[in-house]
Amino acid sequence: MTSDEKRSLTLRDVSEASGVSEMTVSRVLRNRGDVSNATRERVLKTAKELGYVPNKIAGALASQRVNLVAVIIPSLSNMVFPEVLAGISQTLEETELQPVVGVTDYLPEKEEKVLYEMLSWRPSGVIIAGLEHTEAARAMLDASGIPVVEIMDVDGKPVDAMVGISHRRAGREMAKAILKAGYRNIAFLGTKMPLDHRARKRFEGFTEALAKGGVEIAEKEFYSGGSALAKGREMTAAVLDRNPDIDFLYFSNDMIGAGGLLYLLEKGIDVPGQIGLAGFNGVELLQGLPRQLATMDACRKEIGQKAAEIIAARVNDEDTDMVTELTPKISYGDTLKRR
Amino acid sequence: MTSDEKRSLTLRDVSEASGVSEMTVSRVLRNRGDVSNATRERVLKTAKELGYVPNKIAGALASQRVNLVAVIIPSLSNMVFPEVLAGISQTLEETELQPVVGVTDYLPEKEEKVLYEMLSWRPSGVIIAGLEHTEAARAMLDASGIPVVEIMDVDGKPVDAMVGISHRRAGREMAKAILKAGYRNIAFLGTKMPLDHRARKRFEGFTEALAKGGVEIAEKEFYSGGSALAKGREMTAAVLDRNPDIDFLYFSNDMIGAGGLLYLLEKGIDVPGQIGLAGFNGVELLQGLPRQLATMDACRKEIGQKAAEIIAARVNDEDTDMVTELTPKISYGDTLKRR
DNA sequence: CTGAAAGCGCTAACAG
DNA sequence: CTGTTAGCGCTTTCAG
């Protein structure tokens, strides 16, 4: 038990304990440059005995390199962002870079704050969800001088690089599939989230394609808060109550879609004969429902992987694509007639 | 457009641009000490114009203070840890501390590695899930000299402080409730995760309490990988196929329990008359199922809050409880007879 | 292969 | 209220 419990060990402590210069200890610990095997072993041994943990703060300041990638996402309780994160972590694992995540709760001001905090640690790159940011946030990203990848969405102009899907297109495609299957009395049910730009874009693409087919949305219903499954149920009940002619329900996410599905099945309604349903995201979680919900894969993991690849490449001064659009596949499941 | 796109701005740049010493600029930016309003405004203005973002690396090194709390958890794709995180973030928001999360995937070696990485940034505290760590990890925590809170579990000896529930007790309580309701042919269905010590402890407590009631587990079934909902379904089918006398299914988490529930309802089995079910966690997500699954709240958010409070207090050299045991409440839902 | 010197960008501690 | 002087613990660079 030493006298000072607070101060942690430094390179100097290891240097003194091993009788080797700080510089050589540093070399061993980073295995950089040539060090004789004898000294290397000695240093490693004493470092372990002492329980030395290098101070990255000092290292980063001296070397002017921080192997951190800031990842800024709206939420963790959504299942979609953890999957993006998984993709990022997985591909960064092959590099010396490490992700550090910040959460914005879909609030622009919080995003700005989180971004500022993260940039103040001088990360090697930024991966940030969405293309909509405050002006100040854009300015910071622009001024940071580090690679920036905006993810999830490609309907807009990126600060630097972007990888994602076109949500407008996703909405259009689903509308076309629904029309093609013969449905005409279509309802849209989603979150009351003016700041979820991707959901908004899907909705816009959806109504646009319906319009092109001469169909107008028959009902709209929005919710906020609460359990998504329960809300899906309630919203479905409300919509059908208001308009019993509805023959299709397009949900802005799979979770509320699942709620709607369970409700319809309980009511003994013929799905997808009498009423069809579709969600969005392709969450694996929901495999195991009585019927497989029609949905569209948001390419979450691929987006994460690709974004991480771009950062890794740019950190090594390699060139990369500036725009990477992935194309989500529609899956019909058991709730959308095949044609 | 300046000549050097790479180098980011320093205090010195702001100092020169505003004609005020670096020290005073620093004071303004941290609003520390007294600075005349005139200079303060001038500094703030030029800092903003330049788009200066302070370098926390340098600041932390100089001040020997890093306002980061390392949060180390097994997984993000589980719904339980994001809620713990939410609790932590929420209460840290009232302080100057910030959480930084690391994920271990339930692997002890990865936990060790992540811990090492995080400690090398010299955080102000550590919140880490579970009481089981490698010897090296314990040693690091012990040597770090910073407050450490182990969370989720209180069945064991903490390195420093701990806050959580007793999973052994949770298992026992559920067993008692099940026996009291009159069920006797009981199956346990869970994950094949030898490293999920909390699930293991629940199982142990469960079998122990059953034994005390003269009942032995009739069937066990474990899974790994795949969609939990689907797995719950399959496992339930398998168990009932093997042993049609089963009258209760205890699942190690709500998600597989929900799968089992949907399966039984589809088969037209009387729940909870013929067969009862219970899960664990109390995930809000699942409200909206046809029946409410019996479960036990794991106090996730409270655990996060309490842990964060402890760290915050300890950082300010205040004393705190070393052991905080929360008591989960059983919720009978519609799948466990009330008595 | 090893060491000495000079900072990295900021803040603590003192002086004015 | 403002400025000066020393570092924080490490790495870069340049000499041996």
Side-chain angles (χ1 to χ4, degrees):
Chain A
M1 194 143 296
T2 57
S3 58
D4 193 351
E5 294 276 26
K6 261 347 188 354
R7 190 186 131 280
S8 54
L9 296 168
T10 70
L11 216 43
R12 161 172 239 125
D13 295 312
V14 181
S15 164
E16 285 172 356
S18 64
V20 176
S21 78
E22 284 186 43
M23 198 51 238
T24 301
V25 174
S26 169
R27 283 196 183 97
V28 171
L29 263 23
R30 288 175 298 147
N31 37 94
R32 266 274 206 301
D34 298 318
V35 180
S36 77
N37 249 314
T39 51
R40 158 187 282 9
E41 307 255 300
R42 188 137 51 91
V43 168
L44 252 19
K45 183 157 160 285
T46 65
K48 172 172 284 186
E49 281 174 5
L50 264 40
Y52 172 69
V53 177
N55 185 330
K56 289 213 185 193
I57 304 268
L61 182 61
S63 67
Q64 300 284 76
R65 277 181 296 99
V66 181
N67 293 325
L68 260 24
V69 176
V71 179
I72 299 176
I73 54 180
S75 160
L76 280 176
S77 54
N78 189 302
M79 204 82 312
V80 5
F81 296 106
E83 284 197 49
V84 175
L85 264 184
I88 293 173
S89 305
Q90 188 193 306
T91 106
L92 286 188
E93 222 140 74
E94 297 154 21
T95 73
E96 53 179 1
L97 297 169
Q98 290 205 337
V100 181
V101 348
V103 172
T104 70
D105 296 324
Y106 286 100
L107 302 174
E109 320 80 51
K110 186 156 184 205
E111 180 184 82
E112 191 179 313
K113 207 181 118 204
V114 168
L115 180 60
Y116 184 83
E117 288 293 332
M118 305 211 96
L119 287 180
S120 74
W121 289 101
R122 299 292 188 272
S124 294
V126 176
I127 296 176
I128 184 167
L131 295 162
E132 283 76 19
H133 315 289
T134 66
E135 210 174 315
R138 278 183 162 277
M140 282 193 270
L141 288 171
D142 209 34
S144 70
I146 57 178
V148 174
V149 182
E150 287 165 279
I151 57 170
M152 311 304 285
D153 189 4
V154 295
D155 293 326
K157 221 173 112 277
V159 170
D160 185 3
M162 67 178 168
V163 16
I165 66 170
S166 165
H167 287 264
R168 242 185 275 276
R169 171 126 81 108
R172 283 200 304 267
E173 300 283 327
M174 189 54 92
K176 282 193 237 163
I178 292 167
L179 290 178
K180 196 164 167 195
Y183 300 103
R184 288 296 177 272
N185 287 92
I186 300 166
F188 181 89
L189 336 221
T191 38
K192 195 181 292 162
M193 285 250 273
L195 295 171
D196 184 345
H197 296 99
R198 293 178 286 287
R200 193 202 73 222
K201 288 170 183 174
R202 284 196 302 276
F203 179 64
E204 289 170 2
F206 188 69
T207 52
E208 178 198 315
L210 287 189
K212 204 163 279 175
V215 172
E216 204 173 321
I217 290 227
E219 287 292 336
K220 283 183 261 187
E221 183 83 13
F222 298 90
Y223 80 105
S224 64
S227 155
L229 212 50
K231 287 294 176 184
R233 222 171 240 283
E234 293 167 22
M235 293 165 80
T236 301
V239 162
L240 294 182
D241 194 48
R242 266 204 318 271
N243 188 338
D245 295 334
I246 289 298
D247 63 3
F248 200 91
L249 303 163
Y250 181 40
F251 295 87
S252 76
N253 70 61
D254 285 346
M255 214 60 203
I256 52 177
L261 175 59
L262 290 174
Y263 175 83
L264 295 184
L265 293 180
E266 257 169 72
K267 290 283 174 206
I269 290 170
D270 170 26
V271 174
Q274 187 180 342
I275 302 184
L277 306 87
F280 183 80
N281 267 340
V283 308
E284 196 199 38
L285 194 85
L286 291 173
Q287 286 167 21
L289 284 178
R291 305 279 173 83
Q292 200 58 43
L293 185 69
T295 188
M296 209 165 200
D297 176 28
C299 307
R300 299 175 301 284
K301 196 159 182 189
E302 299 89 312
I303 288 176
Q305 291 170 330
K306 190 69 195 165
E309 279 170 27
I310 291 175
I311 295 287
R314 296 288 280 299
V315 164
N316 296 320
D317 285 317
E318 296 162 24
D319 277 338
T320 64
D321 293 338
M322 299 310 282
V323 178
T324 308
E325 177 172 352
L326 303 177
T327 50
K329 297 138 292 279
I330 203 168
S331 85
Y332 287 78
D334 311 312
T335 67
L336 169 54
K337 283 182 284 185
R338 210 81 185 198
R339 84 126 300 156
Chain B
M1 191 142 300
T2 58
S3 56
D4 192 350
E5 294 278 27
K6 258 350 186 355
R7 193 185 129 278
S8 54
L9 296 168
T10 68
L11 216 43
R12 161 173 239 126
D13 295 311
V14 182
S15 163
E16 285 173 357
S18 64
V20 176
S21 80
E22 285 186 43
M23 199 52 232
T24 301
V25 174
S26 170
R27 285 197 181 96
V28 171
L29 265 21
R30 287 177 299 149
N31 34 115
R32 265 282 204 300
D34 296 320
V35 181
S36 78
N37 249 314
T39 51
R40 150 174 275 88
E41 308 254 300
R42 188 139 49 90
V43 168
L44 251 20
K45 183 157 161 287
T46 64
K48 172 172 283 187
E49 281 174 4
L50 263 38
Y52 172 68
V53 177
N55 185 332
K56 290 214 183 191
I57 304 269
L61 182 61
S63 68
Q64 301 283 70
R65 277 182 297 98
V66 180
N67 292 325
L68 260 23
V69 177
V71 179
I72 299 177
I73 55 182
S75 161
L76 279 175
S77 54
N78 189 304
M79 205 78 320
V80 6
F81 297 105
E83 284 196 48
V84 175
L85 263 184
I88 293 174
S89 305
Q90 188 191 308
T91 106
L92 288 187
E93 222 140 74
E94 298 154 21
T95 73
E96 52 177 359
L97 297 169
Q98 289 205 337
V100 181
V101 349
V103 173
T104 70
D105 297 324
Y106 286 99
L107 301 174
E109 321 79 50
K110 189 158 181 202
E111 180 185 81
E112 189 178 314
K113 205 181 121 201
V114 168
L115 179 60
Y116 184 82
E117 288 295 331
M118 305 210 97
L119 287 181
S120 74
W121 288 101
R122 299 291 187 271
S124 294
V126 176
I127 296 175
I128 185 167
L131 294 164
E132 284 75 19
H133 316 289
T134 66
E135 210 175 316
R138 280 186 161 274
M140 282 194 269
L141 288 170
D142 208 35
S144 70
I146 58 178
V148 174
V149 182
E150 287 164 280
I151 57 171
M152 311 305 283
D153 189 4
V154 295
D155 294 327
K157 219 171 113 277
V159 170
D160 185 3
M162 66 178 169
V163 16
I165 66 171
S166 164
H167 287 265
R168 243 186 273 275
R169 172 126 81 110
R172 282 199 304 265
E173 300 283 327
M174 189 54 92
K176 283 192 236 162
I178 291 168
L179 289 179
K180 195 164 167 195
Y183 299 104
R184 289 297 177 273
N185 287 91
I186 301 166
F188 181 89
L189 333 225
T191 38
K192 193 181 292 162
M193 285 249 273
L195 296 171
D196 185 344
H197 296 99
R198 293 178 286 288
R200 192 203 72 221
K201 289 170 184 176
R202 284 197 302 278
F203 178 64
E204 289 170 0
F206 188 69
T207 50
E208 178 198 315
L210 286 189
K212 206 164 280 177
V215 171
E216 203 173 323
I217 291 227
E219 286 291 335
K220 286 183 259 184
E221 183 85 12
F222 298 91
Y223 80 105
S224 65
S227 156
L229 213 51
K231 287 297 175 183
R233 223 172 240 282
E234 293 168 22
M235 292 164 80
T236 302
V239 163
L240 294 182
D241 195 45
R242 267 207 312 273
N243 187 339
D245 296 334
I246 290 296
D247 64 2
F248 200 92
L249 302 163
Y250 181 41
F251 295 87
S252 76
N253 72 60
D254 285 347
M255 214 60 203
I256 53 176
L261 175 60
L262 290 175
Y263 175 83
L264 295 184
L265 293 178
E266 258 171 69
K267 291 284 171 201
I269 290 170
D270 170 23
V271 174
Q274 187 180 343
I275 301 185
L277 303 87
F280 182 81
N281 268 342
V283 308
E284 195 198 38
L285 193 86
L286 291 173
Q287 285 167 21
L289 285 179
R291 308 275 172 85
Q292 201 57 44
L293 186 68
T295 188
M296 209 165 202
D297 177 25
C299 307
R300 301 177 296 286
K301 199 162 182 186
E302 299 90 313
I303 287 176
Q305 292 170 329
K306 190 67 196 166
E309 279 170 28
I310 291 176
I311 295 287
R314 296 287 282 299
V315 164
N316 295 322
D317 284 319
E318 296 162 24
D319 277 338
T320 64
D321 293 338
M322 300 309 283
V323 176
T324 308
E325 177 172 351
L326 304 177
T327 50
K329 297 140 291 284
I330 204 165
S331 88
Y332 287 79
D334 312 313
T335 67
L336 169 54
K337 283 182 283 185
R338 210 80 185 200
R339 85 126 299 165

